[in-house]
């Protein structure tokens, strides 16, 4: 026991001696750097005396000096030191100078914001209230002429349901849909945030933004508070502009929490509406412009179309699920909400699904024609299931889908 205690004491003494030596070398290096700083300040003062017509405030020169000359001089000192001292002290010295000296965190000039985008309709959305109750909701916006014609052309096809039931009954079993949901790896975000906030340069940069960007942030707060649009596309453009302006800040959340007048709830809700609409619009555009590449193998092509249809149905389901609660919040904050109705983006998604159904059935018919060794029953059942799925979602088929389904039905009758 005594020997173990002596060994521990010796180890601690060795560590203490090493730390003392390291501290001594750091102090020596700090002394040299202070000397170099004093010499450079003297040179700057002499240059200021020679050029009397160009008087520059010392604070600006000190900031410029801290960002450029200081690091060059520090590199010079390090190069003249021994290699052993440089390896031991460069990291510690840099940390002390970078995060402990406040002049190294340069204050940025106040941001001059760009003007917000002009709305397509300048009239604000009013939450009209009648005495004794809420005013009736405004009528939904009319569909574009292209979608209106497509909607009128969609008709129910009873043969789709009949053929689907016939093939499923013949198969003798329903599809067993199985899915595995991976468990995301939990990351300790608190440790990451704590590591960042412990660095004084980060804290000083936030403090600098809070002190210098107040006018800029107050301007944005007023714009967000007064924003009232009739079209969700205008909200999308406004959010894009707002995010671009806020990206100037070192850390948006950390800076804005120091401004109690910042309308966080409305800004976040506008982002939610804009991003949801953008994602659905991208899905609609992808589906409506989809083209089946015949060079791709049939199983891969069918999988692609099924994946896209899964995304569309998930988007529709999510919108319908949150529509009642979200529309109330949007009304209160003067954010358009009519696009969430069945006559809005949901109708456009359903119409776009019809093109996927037509491409899917045509691909299966072509596979049955070109490959005599294809498993007819399996492909037919797959095609009819997909057709039935979209027929129920869209409320029927358009002319293109009806023609494609008749060809598929013809092959099904041959296999009986």
């Amino acid at each position: 026991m005594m020997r173990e205690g002596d060994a521990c004491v010796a180890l601690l003494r060795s560590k203490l001696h090493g730390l003392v030596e390291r501290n001594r070398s750091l102090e020596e290096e700090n002394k040299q750097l202070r000397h170099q700083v004093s010499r450079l300040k003297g040179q700057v003062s002499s240059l200021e005396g020679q050029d009397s017509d160009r008087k520059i405030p010392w604070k600006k020169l000190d900031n410029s000096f801290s960002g450029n000359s200081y690091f060059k001089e520090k590199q010079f000192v390090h190069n003249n030191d021994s290699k052993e001292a440089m390896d031991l002290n460069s990291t510690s010295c840099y940390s002390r100078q970078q995060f402990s000296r406040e002049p190294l965190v340069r204050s940025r000039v106040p941001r001059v914001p760009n003007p917000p985008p002009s709305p397509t309709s300048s009239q604000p959305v009013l939450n009209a209230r009648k005495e004794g109750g809420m005013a009736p909701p405004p009528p939904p916006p009319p569909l574009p002429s292209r979608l209106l014609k497509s909607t009128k052309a969609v008709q129910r096809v009873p043969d789709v349901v009949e053929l689907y039931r016939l093939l499923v009954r013949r198969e003798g079993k329903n599809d067993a849909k199985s899915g595995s949901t991976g468990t995301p790896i939990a990351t300790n975000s608190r440790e990451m945030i704590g590591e960042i906030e412990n660095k004084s340069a980060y804290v000083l940069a936030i403090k600098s933004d809070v002190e210098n960007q107040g006018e800029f942030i107050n301007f944005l707060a007023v714009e967000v508070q007064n924003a009232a649009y009739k079209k969700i596309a205008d909200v999308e453009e406004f959010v894009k502009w707002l995010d671009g302006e806020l990206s100037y800040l070192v850390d948006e959340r950390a800076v804005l929490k120091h401004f109690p007048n910042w309308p966080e709830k409305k800004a976040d809700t506008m982002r939610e509406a804009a991003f949801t609409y953008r994602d659905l619009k991208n899905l609609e555009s992808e589906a409506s412009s989809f083209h089946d590449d015949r060079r791709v193998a049939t199983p891969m092509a069918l999988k692609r179309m099924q994946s896209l249809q899964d995304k569309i149905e998930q988007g529709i389901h999510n919108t319908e699920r949150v529509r009642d609660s979200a529309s109330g919040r949007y009304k209160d904050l003067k954010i358009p909400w009519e696009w969430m109705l069945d006559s809005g983006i949901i109708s456009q998604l359903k119409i776009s699904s019809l093109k996927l159904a037509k491409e899917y059935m045509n691909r299966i018919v072509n596979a049955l024609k070109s490959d005599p060794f294809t498993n007819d029953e399996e492909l037919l059942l797959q095609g009819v299931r997909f057709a039935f799925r979209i027929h129920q979602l869209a409320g029927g088929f358009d002319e293109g889908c009806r023609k494609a389904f008749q060809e598929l039905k013809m092959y099904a009758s041959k296999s009986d």
Side-chain angles (χ1 to χ4, degrees), residues 269-293:
T269 307
M270 291 183 77
R271 283 192 179 109
E272 173 193 320
F275 293 160
T276 302
Y277 174 77
R278 183 196 62 187
D279 293 342
L280 294 177
K281 195 66 179 175
N282 289 342
L283 274 177
E284 188 272 334
S285 177
E286 184 180 358
S288 60
S289 61
F290 181 83
H291 175 70
D292 184 20
D293 188 356

Side-chain angles (χ1 to χ4, degrees), residues 120-347:
T120 54
S121 58
S122 58
Q123 296 180 356
V125 179
L126 299 179
N127 284 334
R129 295 176 179 267
K130 291 185 177 181
E131 294 183 359
M134 292 289 295
L143 289 173
S145 57
R146 175 180 63 85
L147 291 175
L148 191 59
K149 292 178 182 179
S150 300
T151 305
K152 291 181 178 179
V154 174
Q155 299 176 0
R156 286 201 169 271
V157 181
D159 291 348
V160 176
V161 181
E162 293 178 7
L163 183 59
Y164 171 75
R165 290 175 178 172
L166 176 64
L167 292 180
V168 169
R169 193 180 304 115
R170 184 189 304 171
E171 186 72 10
K173 59 180 180 180
N174 295 327
D175 283 342
K177 296 183 179 180
S178 61
S180 60
T181 57
T183 304
I185 300 175
T187 58
N188 196 340
S189 58
R190 291 184 178 179
E191 290 183 2
M192 297 174 63
I193 295 173
E195 181 181 359
I196 294 174
E197 292 183 343
N198 284 336
K199 297 180 180 179
S200 57
Y202 169 80
V203 177
L204 291 175
I206 292 176
K207 182 180 178 182
S208 174
D209 274 358
V210 172
E211 294 174 352
N212 298 325
Q213 308 302 332
E215 185 176 352
F216 164 66
I217 293 173
N218 289 331
F219 169 80
L220 296 181
V222 172
E223 290 295 327
V224 172
Q225 196 64 47
N226 295 336
Y229 297 102
K230 282 190 172 182
K231 295 183 178 180
I232 187 61
D234 292 333
V235 177
E236 188 179 8
E237 287 299 317
F238 180 85
V239 168
K240 184 178 179 181
W241 166 81
L242 179 64
D243 286 344
E245 294 298 316
L246 290 175
S247 65
Y248 180 78
L249 302 176
V250 174
D251 187 319
E252 174 187 332
R253 294 290 180 183
V255 174
L256 293 180
K257 71 180 182 181
H258 294 277
F259 293 85
N261 63 327
W262 176 253
E264 181 180 3
K265 180 180 179 181
K266 183 169 183 179
D268 289 346
T269 307
M270 291 183 77
R271 283 192 179 109
E272 173 193 320
F275 293 160
T276 302
Y277 174 77
R278 183 196 62 187
D279 293 342
L280 294 177
K281 195 66 179 175
N282 289 342
L283 274 177
E284 188 272 334
S285 177
E286 184 180 358
S288 60
S289 61
F290 181 83
H291 175 70
D292 184 20
D293 188 356
R294 296 308 170 100
R295 296 171 298 180
V296 179
T298 297
M300 185 63 66
L302 297 180
K303 187 176 181 180
R304 247 183 93 196
M305 287 183 265
Q306 287 175 350
S307 176
L308 182 54
Q309 182 61 25
D310 289 342
K311 293 178 183 177
I312 291 175
E313 292 181 9
Q314 187 65 38
I316 293 175
H317 171 72
N318 290 340
T319 304
E320 293 175 340
R321 179 172 53 85
V322 303
R323 181 167 52 193
D324 291 340
S325 60
S327 60
R329 291 187 291 114
Y330 293 171
K331 290 177 189 177
D332 294 338
L333 297 173
K334 301 177 183 179
I335 300 173
W337 57 274
E338 293 86 355
W339 58 273
M340 303 179 74
L341 298 175
D342 290 337
S343 58
I345 188 68
I346 292 180
S347 176

Side-chain angles (χ1 to χ4, degrees), residues 18-78:
L19 292 174
V20 170
E21 289 298 324
R22 184 176 179 182
N23 185 48
R24 185 179 303 164
S25 62
L26 289 175
E27 289 178 353
E28 183 65 26
E29 187 173 357
N30 189 25
K31 187 189 225 179
Q32 294 177 8
L33 291 175
R34 287 177 183 271
H35 176 71
Q36 297 294 340
V37 169
S38 300
R39 183 174 62 81
L40 290 174
K41 283 185 178 181
Q43 292 178 2
V44 172
S45 299
S46 63
L47 290 174
E48 283 182 342
Q50 294 175 4
D51 190 4
S52 58
D53 294 334
R54 298 175 63 183
K55 295 182 179 179
I56 305 175
W58 169 252
K59 182 176 181 180
K60 184 175 180 181
L61 283 176
D62 188 36
N63 287 333
S64 176
F65 154 77
S66 299
N68 299 308
S69 301
Y70 174 75
F71 287 105
K72 291 181 180 178
E73 190 62 34
K74 178 178 154 184
Q75 184 178 2
F76 172 78
V77 173
H78 278 207

Side-chain angles (χ1 to χ4, degrees), residues 71-119:
F71 287 105
K72 291 181 180 178
E73 190 62 34
K74 178 178 154 184
Q75 184 178 2
F76 172 78
V77 173
H78 278 207
N79 290 337
N80 286 278
D81 287 338
S82 64
K83 184 176 181 180
E84 181 180 358
M86 182 182 65
D87 293 338
L88 180 62
N89 303 322
S90 58
T91 304
S92 301
C93 179
Y94 178 82
S95 300
R96 290 174 63 191
Q97 298 297 333
Q98 180 71 18
F99 298 116
S100 300
R101 291 174 59 90
E102 186 168 352
L104 291 180
V105 181
R106 297 195 294 176
S107 299
R108 299 190 296 173
V109 295
R111 166 79 169 178
V112 178
N114 296 316
S118 301

